[in-house]
Amino acid sequence: MNIIVCIKQVPGTSNVKVDPITGVLIRDGVQAKMNPYDLYALETSLQLKEKTNGKVTVISMGPPAALSILKEAIYMGADEGILISDRKFGGADVLATAYTISQAINTIDDVDLILTGKQTTDGDTGQVGPETAEFLNLPHFGYVTNVEVKENKIEFISNLETKIMKANITLPCLLCIDSDINTPRLPSYKRKVKFGNCEKQIKIMSFNDMEDQDETKYGLKGSATQVEKIFQPEKTTDRLVLQGTKEQMAKDLLNVLKERKFI
Amino acid sequence: MYKSFDNFDLAYIKSIIDNERVYEKGHISSDFSHDELATLVKYPDVLIKVKNAEEISAIMKYAYEKSIPVTVRGSGTGLVGGAVPVEGGIMINTSLMNQILELDDKNFTITVEPGVLLMDLAAYVEENDLFYPPDPGEKSATIGGNISTNAGGMRAVKYGVTRDYVRSLKVVMPNGDIETFGSNVVKNSSGYSLKDLIIGSEGTLAIIVEATLKLLPLPSESISLLVPFETMQQALDAIPEILRSKTNPTAIEYMSKETILNSEKFLGKKFPDSKHDAYLLLTFDGNDINIIENDYSKVANLCLAQGAIDAYFIDTDERKKSVWSARGAFLEAIKASTDKMDECDVVVPKDLIADYIKYTHKLSKQLGVRIPSFGHAGDGNLHIYVCKDGMPEEIWQQKLKTAFKKLYQKAQEMNGLVSGEHGIGYAKKQYLKESLGENQIKIMQQIKNVFDPKNILNPGKICQ
Amino acid sequence: MALKINHNLVNEEIAKTLVDICPFKAIEYHDNKLSINAGCKNCKICVKKGPAGVIELVKEEIKTINKNEWKNIVIYADIEENKVHPVTYELIGKAKELAQVINHQVHVLAIGHNLTQTVDKILHYGVDKVFIYDHEKLEHFDVERYTNIFEDFINKNKPSSILFGATNIGRSLAPRVAARFKTGLTADCTALEMKENTDLVQIRPAFGGNIMAQIINPNHRPQFCTARYKVFNAPEKTINPTGEIINCPIEDKWLKTNVEILEIINKKKEEDISESEIIIAIGRGVKSKEDFDLVFELAELLNASIGCTRPVAEAGLLNNKHQIGLSGKTVKPKLIITLGVSGAIQFTSGMKDAECIIAVNNDPAAQIFDIAHFAVFGDIYEIVPELIKIIKEGKSNV
């Protein structure tokens, strides 16, 4: 089984601030790491690989520094990696990102299954997976908590709002894996020694490698949305004291619950 | 003999302390009658949540005059009954004295009140790019308690223990006098080190009301390796090799599959790897990633040569969390796995740790009682638990007694000591006596008498 | 707008300044050549703060569209087994405000089976039109079929904006449809505004809520967004709805799917409290196991899970899987109500990131009040029964 796992490099912490003068994110001294949600997808793929004698290819779009998370994935057990990296891809929104990733996946033969995490910790959208599936014309399902391979299809469990759904989906398909469904394995020192810089395992794809050579579909040009501004939310740390008779306090409490839509 | 605490005494206490911070008998939460292990239970006559040194001084002056016993308690996370008021009387709780007083970034020191929690202290200094290295597993302990037991923790291999980080202590003496021992100086050859007598004295000599602690610059990089082995034997055999390798790890912890499975069950969360029988957990820190890489590679190769299955990296926050949250729950998990247990924390010369752990396995088989352990392989300090597992009480008491006797005997043979970091308190007095001999106990008693001639401060502990 | 480097102005010193100035490490200087890598986020700080003229903004021609051809705001009715997710009504409420600015109508798209009654409910929230695609094969959500239906709907009606609830269904369907129309999608909005030129201003959190981003989709239509549940207000219901129902024909070729549903199970109340949205935490103030029934009743009414402090778990009153704190679970619910919890650090370090903390304790000096958003100084044995009583009264009045 040929599995592709989409991963992203994100800042080491979500605790970032906005420069009040320039309005730009300050990420100084924040180390980058693999998006934690992707680890669950990667672990799922590695378990499937063990069961089906398959192959796992990790794919990431980002700057050259994102090579490090592809290496990390290989140390965890992935077989190959692809870094989609080109200045022309910079500034991409969900639409352009999904299109670029779908173009890259199109160059890979015999893909059976594509896995993504449920969202990233920086953008937090969770929408690149489904859009990628659309561009690849593949069925997809989200919030998947369990995956079992059957012949030419996958039996999965998905965590819907109030229900749990068990269903079959035909291969090839894309599944967005829910968080906390497994404990991702740790990167192996032995594999690090064996693969080192992973020059043989990782290849870099640029704009020229894509089938669609229309520049306006990539990066900033291919993005529909524009960020007008970013700002830091105001934190309300005020404490409200409720006291009085029990009836009064209970009434006030009910109002709080209603106001906050808990009732 | 002590004066029993009566209504007159209560009235006096209430006249000098805000009444809402004075709890009389019947209104004292059961928490204050025992510590974390809860084998020894005794309520104080009055519990006072103090706010400052002056209050403590006033209480001590009165208690001294009237000969009322006084026991000091922080978070109550001790394991040997050290903070249990075995003679009743007054309990002083320092948890409201939790202010960080001063961070001195020229001298690299921090001055704190005794009720500051270890976790708050660590977080505070880290925010300032500084580092307080002692790292006992119980992060909700107070710093006062840490000093009183000379707590060690995971980083002792490289950084030493609490004692190495205490510059000076302000204390209230049993008669109410306030003294400062030591000073914010690097070198000190000025007479007997009274400060060092207080450290590890478990609240029997004086009450710590302020501590100035040494800090280090925060290492920018920290990476851990989880190294699985097929057998505990192999894991233990690797430890002396690692110690000889001059790689200076911050921590070397060992854990068995059983301990990990217990914690998985307790937390409801899978450990990243629990397939193998035994694991070593090693941490390397510093500012130069190349040096760290060099060191961990050397150790990883060495472990592989000793038969390790692999070595896994723990480098990001979530990986650290997945491993350290389990490590932090080991004690609770073992507690939850049995109906009753007792613990000991012997320390042996670090080159003999493997032999000692093997001995506990042998003893477990011999006595037919479960003796799980985990601990600081790198510094020779072990945490050993003897579990009841539903045994009839009588048989259990007997087996526990034999087990402890043999465990301490073995430690003694290896020139080890009774406690590495939990202290002697009430529970381990007997073993201390056997281990140190009458002469040394006598010296300790004389020291106690010099500080506390009326024997009112935490009586019945350590050497008494 | 694109960035252009004027290489003739670059020297080593200027290059170094620019490399340092970029917050995303997207500017590189190798072999005497300055370049911008894929890390560029177009924050333009290199243009604004860098050495003048070295990196410039070059205007590019942008394809524009005729926004007048796209009219009305559409809400996707989030329906599961003929139950309308309340976020749908909240979105209708917001859409009515937005539509007023540009004089558009508010429409609802409902996909499912046997929808008559369901749609009737929606009409009472005062929408102008409800478009229905009703077919037995649409009974359960199927992303392929629903996307095809949506495609037909958009082609025929050309809506300006489409709002989805950020539910699991919305988060699956919205991106598929948006990608099919190669238009923008903003996920998880917490605020929406409308410009007079019909551009929808979408505000959403990123970085786990540490940053807010304001986003527009100026050159594409329709504009897609998903919005969070419980941030907008549902409108008052009207007694005599005037909205029109439009039944839309369905073509068989839209109903092809690769997903075969085997089983749908009702979810049990979250077993794992770290996943729960509402938690009621029991502390030592709740004295005996018998008193827990009171708490359980409140939990039932609020659809909350039960958590507890370490002493409660240790006393064997609750299983330790309910335990919150340092030696238990870390939770981050939308709401936590602590009852008789003193607030030891052991406990609070496991829940202090909750979005809303309501603490009830009769000791005003309890530490829990230091982190509470709502501090109720009172006896839980008085307040909890009273609260249960008035919640029940409220429910029976509806």
Side-chain angles (χ1 to χ4, degrees):
Chain A
M1 167 165 239
N2 223 344
I3 309 168
I4 292 188
V5 185
C6 302
I7 62 177
K8 186 185 180 190
Q9 191 182 41
V10 298
T13 160
S14 297
N15 206 2
V16 291
K17 291 197 169 73
V18 177
D19 184 325
I21 297 159
T22 60
V24 166
L25 280 186
I26 309 167
R27 303 202 208 190
D28 277 357
V30 179
Q31 279 183 333
K33 66 177 179 189
M34 195 189 308
N35 172 37
Y37 294 117
D38 298 341
L39 290 166
Y40 303 106
L42 184 53
E43 177 61 30
T44 305
S45 76
L46 295 173
Q47 288 177 10
L48 287 176
K49 173 189 156 170
E50 282 162 6
K51 276 184 206 147
T52 63
N53 204 9
K55 179 180 152 190
V56 171
T57 305
V58 280
I59 186 162
S60 184
M61 177 167 150
L67 265 179
S68 66
I69 60 160
L70 292 169
K71 284 193 269 182
E72 187 181 320
I74 286 173
Y75 301 159
M76 284 173 71
D79 300 284
E80 287 177 9
I82 296 172
L83 177 65
I84 313 168
S85 190
D86 196 304
R87 163 77 184 105
K88 292 194 170 92
F89 302 152
D93 71 350
V94 170
L95 179 72
T97 304
Y99 189 71
T100 312
I101 293 173
S102 69
Q103 279 289 307
I105 293 176
N106 264 336
T107 65
I108 306 169
D109 295 329
D110 303 325
V111 174
D112 295 305
L113 177 63
I114 303 165
L115 299 180
T116 73
K118 79 167 193 184
Q119 65 193 60
T120 59
T121 54
D122 54 355
D124 277 334
T125 74
Q127 310 283 250
V128 172
E131 291 212 0
T132 304
E134 174 64 26
F135 286 126
L136 289 168
N137 200 18
L138 293 181
H140 93 275
F141 226 95
Y143 305 95
V144 171
T145 59
N146 193 44
V147 177
E148 256 176 72
V149 180
K150 303 266 155 93
E151 248 173 88
N152 285 328
K153 61 187 176 195
I154 278 185
E155 187 183 300
F156 68 93
I157 293 173
S158 171
N159 182 7
L160 298 177
E161 248 15 48
T162 55
K163 318 261 171 196
I164 291 167
M165 181 197 265
K166 194 178 195 183
N168 282 329
I169 188 166
T170 52
L171 294 174
C173 66
L174 183 147
L175 299 174
C176 309
I177 303 295
D178 210 352
S179 61
D180 294 309
I181 65 159
N182 51 38
T183 299
R185 66 194 64 192
L186 302 166
S188 144
Y189 174 74
K190 268 183 161 171
R191 288 182 70 90
K192 182 175 192 244
V193 170
K194 189 171 167 193
F195 297 111
N197 264 329
C198 305
E199 276 124 359
K200 282 195 191 129
Q201 286 72 35
I202 298 175
K203 69 173 179 193
I204 295 176
M205 284 183 82
S206 63
F207 174 70
N208 293 333
D209 299 308
M210 302 295 174
E211 195 189 337
D212 187 345
Q213 286 290 306
D214 180 355
E215 274 191 39
T216 64
K217 288 185 179 157
Y218 298 89
L220 188 70
K221 288 179 197 166
S223 297
T225 55
Q226 288 178 9
V227 177
E228 283 195 314
K229 65 173 178 189
I230 54 176
F231 55 98
Q232 235 152 332
E234 283 170 37
K235 284 228 163 92
T236 46
T237 45
D238 290 354
R239 191 189 76 169
L240 207 71
V241 173
L242 310 182
Q243 48 191 343
T245 63
K246 65 174 180 179
E247 287 82 10
Q248 189 59 44
M249 283 191 280
K251 213 176 120 202
D252 290 348
L253 206 47
L254 182 68
N255 285 337
V256 169
L257 294 173
K258 277 186 176 159
E259 216 173 274
R260 304 257 171 154
K261 300 196 168 73
F262 292 118
I263 292 182
Chain B
M1 257 338 276
Y2 300 115
K3 175 185 179 306
S4 59
F5 191 86
D6 56 29
N7 282 338
F8 181 79
D9 300 319
L10 183 66
Y12 179 79
I13 295 289
K14 284 188 166 176
S15 76
I16 58 169
I17 309 282
D18 290 344
N19 289 1
E20 65 193 40
R21 291 187 279 118
V22 178
Y23 301 76
E24 56 200 272
K25 235 180 178 155
H27 295 87
I28 299 170
S29 154
S30 66
D31 284 355
F32 292 92
S33 68
H34 61 78
D35 64 6
E36 172 102 25
L37 210 57
T39 35
L40 179 66
V41 178
K42 172 88 188 177
Y43 281 86
D45 294 301
V46 66
L47 165 69
I48 307 166
K49 295 192 175 173
V50 291
K51 280 228 160 127
N52 54 50
E54 288 66 36
E55 287 185 353
I56 298 178
S57 171
I59 295 166
M60 289 316 294
K61 274 201 176 89
Y62 183 78
Y64 189 76
E65 189 195 309
K66 302 281 180 188
S67 294
I68 299 168
V70 178
T71 304
V72 186
R73 186 185 195 271
S75 297
T77 56
L79 295 167
V80 292
V84 179
V86 290
E87 300 284 352
I90 298 170
M91 173 174 276
I92 290 178
N93 177 230
T94 58
S95 57
L96 295 180
M97 290 177 70
N98 59 357
Q99 297 301 306
I100 290 171
L101 300 173
E102 190 198 2
L103 181 75
D104 179 346
D105 56 7
K106 286 191 238 37
N107 284 306
F108 270 27
T109 56
I110 188 162
T111 302
V112 297
E113 291 189 323
V116 169
L117 302 184
L118 182 63
M119 54 192 287
D120 292 337
L121 173 67
Y124 183 84
V125 299
E126 274 181 31
E127 263 170 42
N128 290 283
D129 268 329
L130 292 164
F131 181 45
Y132 177 69
D135 185 33
E138 179 57 68
K139 306 286 185 272
S140 62
T142 63
I143 195 69
N146 271 199
I147 295 169
S148 295
T149 51
N150 186 25
M154 328 233 191
R155 301 196 189 104
V157 192
K158 180 171 174 182
Y159 290 105
V161 297
T162 302
R163 185 182 300 281
D164 302 310
Y165 294 87
V166 179
R167 281 278 171 81
S168 73
L169 293 174
K170 189 165 144 188
V171 301
V172 173
M173 300 296 288
N175 64 6
D177 288 353
I178 298 179
E179 296 285 344
T180 300
F181 297 149
S183 174
N184 195 352
V185 292
V186 178
K187 296 179 175 178
N188 183 355
S189 177
S190 317
Y192 300 142
S193 175
L194 300 176
K195 167 204 79 172
D196 279 295
L197 271 175
I198 302 296
I199 299 166
S201 68
E202 304 185 45
T204 62
L205 301 183
I207 300 172
I208 300 165
V209 293
E210 198 178 297
T212 299
L213 307 166
K214 180 175 91 171
L215 302 173
L216 299 179
L218 183 68
S220 59
E221 309 282 344
S222 163
I223 203 166
S224 297
L225 290 182
L226 181 70
V227 187
F229 288 88
E230 215 54 89
T231 64
M232 183 55 91
Q233 186 79 27
Q234 283 176 323
L236 297 177
D237 288 343
I239 296 169
E241 299 297 321
I242 296 168
L243 290 170
R244 255 200 294 273
S245 69
K246 302 194 181 81
T247 48
N248 207 10
T250 315
I252 309 175
E253 301 280 306
Y254 79 92
M255 51 195 78
S256 68
K257 183 182 192 167
E258 190 200 343
T259 306
I260 292 170
L261 293 180
N262 272 333
S263 111
E264 284 186 345
K265 203 172 142 204
F266 180 75
L267 293 173
K269 196 124 203 155
K270 284 260 174 233
F271 199 67
D273 189 298
S274 53
K275 289 196 285 285
H276 305 288
D277 257 12
Y279 294 82
L280 294 180
L281 178 59
L282 304 120
T283 303
F284 300 84
D285 70 1
N287 291 310
D288 186 333
I289 189 73
N290 292 320
I291 294 175
I292 293 175
E293 247 182 73
N294 204 22
D295 280 357
Y296 76 60
S297 303
K298 202 165 162 185
V299 169
N301 289 336
L302 207 149
C303 289
L304 291 173
Q306 290 287 323
I309 313 283
D310 201 335
Y312 300 119
F313 293 110
I314 303 158
D315 49 358
T316 58
D317 284 352
E318 44 280 345
R319 291 190 175 119
K320 282 174 187 167
K321 210 179 144 214
S322 72
V323 171
W324 290 106
S325 67
R327 168 65 184 85
F330 280 174
L331 168 59
E332 304 262 343
I334 292 175
K335 247 166 94 176
S337 76
T338 185
D339 46 342
K340 211 167 175 185
M341 64 166 206
D342 207 343
E343 67 94 43
C344 81
D345 88 307
V346 292
V347 54
V348 295
K350 56 187 189 179
D351 58 322
L352 295 174
I353 185 111
D355 292 338
Y356 193 86
I357 299 166
K358 287 176 203 163
Y359 176 74
T360 66
H361 296 159
K362 205 175 100 189
L363 190 65
S364 165
K365 267 194 204 129
Q366 215 175 41
L367 295 175
V369 56
R370 191 161 62 98
I371 311 183
S373 70
F374 62 87
H376 317 307
D379 57 31
N381 185 202
L382 292 138
H383 299 302
I384 299 168
Y385 303 87
V386 184
C387 299
K388 182 166 175 258
D389 293 346
M391 247 178 251
E393 182 69 22
E394 219 168 286
I395 300 176
W396 148 252
Q397 285 298 347
Q398 207 178 3
K399 288 203 176 183
L400 179 67
K401 213 172 144 195
T402 322
F404 268 23
K405 200 173 156 201
K406 297 213 163 193
L407 286 167
Y408 285 117
Q409 245 169 22
K410 187 71 183 177
Q412 178 104 353
E413 274 169 37
M414 292 178 165
N415 284 322
L417 292 170
V418 174
S419 171
E421 58 189 4
H422 295 166
I424 301 301
Y426 183 84
K428 309 292 186 228
K429 287 197 297 189
Q430 181 62 27
Y431 305 111
L432 184 73
K433 206 178 271 175
E434 283 162 19
S435 156
L436 297 183
E438 229 157 83
N439 280 341
Q440 290 193 33
I441 293 289
K442 206 171 239 169
I443 296 172
M444 286 190 182
Q445 284 166 349
Q446 283 163 354
I447 292 171
K448 163 78 173 161
N449 192 42
V450 171
F451 276 81
D452 183 17
K454 291 182 113 171
N455 193 27
I456 56 166
L457 205 49
N458 203 8
K461 305 290 166 65
I462 306 182
C463 56
Q464 293 187 328
Chain C
M1 305 277 253
L3 299 175
K4 189 185 146 209
I5 302 174
N6 290 317
H7 288 281
N8 56 334
L9 296 176
V10 177
N11 63 34
E12 198 160 327
E13 194 186 330
I14 284 178
K16 205 183 158 299
T17 314
L18 284 165
V19 168
D20 289 342
I21 217 168
C22 176
F24 304 107
K25 299 192 176 92
I27 301 180
E28 294 177 42
Y29 188 61
H30 296 298
D31 306 326
N32 294 323
K33 192 168 187 300
L34 194 70
S35 61
I36 302 175
N37 72 29
C40 176
K41 300 268 186 272
N42 273 288
C43 71
K44 305 178 195 90
I45 199 165
C46 50
V47 180
K48 290 184 218 156
K49 300 266 152 175
V54 181
I55 299 182
E56 304 187 288
L57 268 183
V58 199
K59 289 217 166 140
E60 284 175 41
E61 219 179 290
I62 295 164
K63 267 190 249 166
T64 50
I65 52 157
N66 181 1
K67 292 175 186 174
N68 293 330
E69 286 175 9
W70 301 82
K71 255 193 144 24
N72 304 324
I73 301 175
V74 172
I75 314 298
Y76 169 71
D78 201 301
I79 300 169
E80 227 188 318
E81 295 190 342
N82 280 337
K83 276 208 194 83
V84 183
H85 192 292
V87 71
T88 308
Y89 304 133
E90 296 173 7
L91 289 175
I92 291 172
K94 188 69 202 178
K96 286 173 128 182
E97 287 171 30
L98 299 171
Q100 239 167 25
V101 180
I102 48 176
N103 210 11
H104 280 198
Q105 289 193 336
V106 174
H107 295 172
V108 169
L109 169 61
I111 306 174
H113 188 43
N114 290 333
L115 287 171
T116 322
Q117 281 186 337
T118 315
V119 165
D120 193 51
K121 264 188 210 150
I122 296 173
L123 276 178
H124 276 87
Y125 285 89
V127 298
D128 298 299
K129 282 179 189 168
V130 180
F131 293 82
I132 301 180
Y133 288 82
D134 192 318
H135 192 283
E136 58 177 351
K137 285 189 174 168
L138 297 173
E139 186 182 355
H140 293 293
F141 173 66
D142 179 298
V143 77
E144 291 167 88
R145 288 171 175 165
Y146 279 39
T147 305
N148 291 337
I149 301 278
F150 229 120
E151 182 182 0
D152 176 70
F153 171 77
I154 292 172
N155 283 335
K156 286 183 180 144
N157 296 288
K158 293 201 179 297
S160 175
S161 297
I162 304 176
L163 318 184
F164 295 75
T167 62
N168 290 7
I169 289 178
R171 286 153 171 264
S172 253
L173 183 59
R176 279 246 40 153
V177 185
R180 191 159 291 183
F181 285 86
K182 301 197 171 47
T183 180
L185 161 67
T186 307
D188 259 336
C189 297
T190 54
L192 294 170
E193 288 158 25
M194 186 60 78
K195 291 190 182 181
E196 282 179 6
N197 69 355
T198 74
D199 281 358
L200 183 65
V201 179
Q202 304 153 99
I203 295 165
R204 67 178 304 267
F207 287 98
N210 284 309
I211 297 289
M212 303 300 288
Q214 181 173 317
I215 294 166
I216 52 166
N217 183 3
N219 304 308
H220 295 74
R221 288 295 182 268
Q223 311 170 83
F224 279 77
C225 79
T226 66
R228 286 205 184 158
Y229 178 34
K230 291 184 179 172
V231 298
F232 302 127
N233 296 315
E236 290 287 319
K237 283 201 238 178
T238 57
I239 302 162
N240 297 311
T242 53
E244 184 188 344
I245 294 178
I246 296 156
N247 279 299
C248 308
I250 293 168
E251 289 183 31
D252 274 347
K253 64 177 182 194
W254 299 341
L255 301 175
K256 211 173 78 59
T257 184
N258 284 287
V259 175
E260 174 201 0
I261 297 171
L262 300 174
E263 202 181 351
I264 295 181
I265 315 157
N266 277 325
K267 219 189 263 187
K268 272 185 276 173
K269 182 105 55 68
E270 291 295 351
E271 287 266 296
D272 182 4
I273 54 166
S274 49
E275 300 287 320
S276 301
E277 293 202 338
I278 303 180
I279 295 175
I280 298 183
I282 302 177
R284 284 283 282 277
V286 183
K287 293 192 186 72
S288 72
K289 207 158 181 161
E290 288 72 54
D291 301 336
F292 284 18
D293 288 344
L294 204 62
V295 180
F296 292 156
E297 192 180 351
L298 180 61
E300 190 76 41
L301 286 168
L302 293 174
N303 200 19
S305 306
I306 298 282
C308 70
T309 60
R310 180 161 81 176
V312 171
E314 278 191 346
L317 298 170
L318 278 172
N319 186 297
N320 61 29
K321 71 183 180 202
H322 294 283
Q323 185 184 328
I324 295 170
L326 266 188
S327 51
K329 300 246 160 90
T330 302
V331 297
K332 205 184 161 186
K334 294 204 159 67
L335 169 69
I336 186 163
I337 302 177
T338 71
L339 299 176
V341 172
S342 62
I345 192 92
Q346 159 70 239
F347 173 76
T348 55
S349 58
M351 49 65 77
K352 61 180 186 314
D353 291 328
E355 281 175 35
C356 180
I357 300 170
I358 298 177
V360 187
N361 196 311
N362 54 7
D363 176 8
Q367 272 171 296
I368 189 74
F369 292 130
D370 295 347
I371 59 158
H373 303 111
F374 296 94
V376 185
F377 295 167
D379 189 336
I380 47 175
Y381 286 95
E382 291 183 355
I383 289 173
V384 174
E386 183 66 22
L387 184 61
I388 289 173
K389 195 179 103 197
I390 57 176
I391 291 176
K392 279 185 176 166
E393 281 169 9
K395 286 207 168 162
S396 60
N397 286 345
V398 173

